[in-house]
Amino acid sequence: MEQAPEWEVLEMAMDSGASETVVDEEMLPRVETFEGEALKKGVQREVADGTLAPNLGEKKFIAVSDNGVARQMRAQVCDVNKALLSAHRVVQAGNRVAFAS
């Protein structure tokens, strides 16, 4: 299946412990990073190894799931190795999260 050139594929790991959805600057290079509240406030994010990563801004985009559901997304930008989708933010937006084995 051919993809439209304006679309980018980004795999995100659902994280029940993440307070924010986060991506690295390089993960969505065609989506503009802008100054958000967290950057203005000097917020830092604790990453998995316990170090602090400064907030570098925000990206807003439309995400489409594997089954075709489109949603507005906002992700904080910081130096991470993997994009994390915050279960907390998904629920705050009026959606449900269910984990099953």
Side-chain angles (χ1 to χ4, degrees), residues 7 10 12 20-21 23 28 31 34 58-65 68-76 84-86 88-95:
W7 289 94
L10 175 65
M12 301 184 90
E20 292 288 348
T21 296
V23 296
L28 295 168
V31 176
F34 66 93
E58 287 183 0
K59 289 182 181 273
K60 290 184 181 179
F61 54 96
I62 295 174
V64 180
S65 69
V69 177
R71 294 282 187 261
Q72 288 266 107
M73 296 280 300
R74 181 181 61 161
Q76 301 303 310
L84 299 177
L85 180 60
S86 167
H88 170 72
R89 292 293 183 198
V90 170
V91 170
Q92 251 189 347
N95 303 289

Side-chain angles (χ1 to χ4, degrees), residues 15-101:
D15 190 334
S16 62
S19 59
E20 292 288 348
T21 296
V22 295
V23 296
D24 187 86
E25 178 68 37
E26 302 300 316
M27 291 177 182
L28 295 168
R30 290 183 276 189
V31 176
E32 179 184 357
T33 300
F34 66 93
E35 182 180 37
E37 287 300 312
L39 177 61
K40 291 176 188 175
K41 293 178 181 177
V43 170
Q44 295 189 63
R45 308 273 173 220
E46 185 176 353
V47 295
D49 68 2
T51 59
L52 295 176
N55 184 288
L56 304 173
E58 287 183 0
K59 289 182 181 273
K60 290 184 181 179
F61 54 96
I62 295 174
V64 180
S65 69
D66 288 341
N67 58 355
V69 177
R71 294 282 187 261
Q72 288 266 107
M73 296 280 300
R74 181 181 61 161
Q76 301 303 310
V77 178
C78 58
D79 186 19
V80 294
N81 295 322
K82 181 185 284 189
L84 299 177
L85 180 60
S86 167
H88 170 72
R89 292 293 183 198
V90 170
V91 170
Q92 251 189 347
N95 303 289
R96 288 186 169 180
V97 174
F99 294 96
S101 55

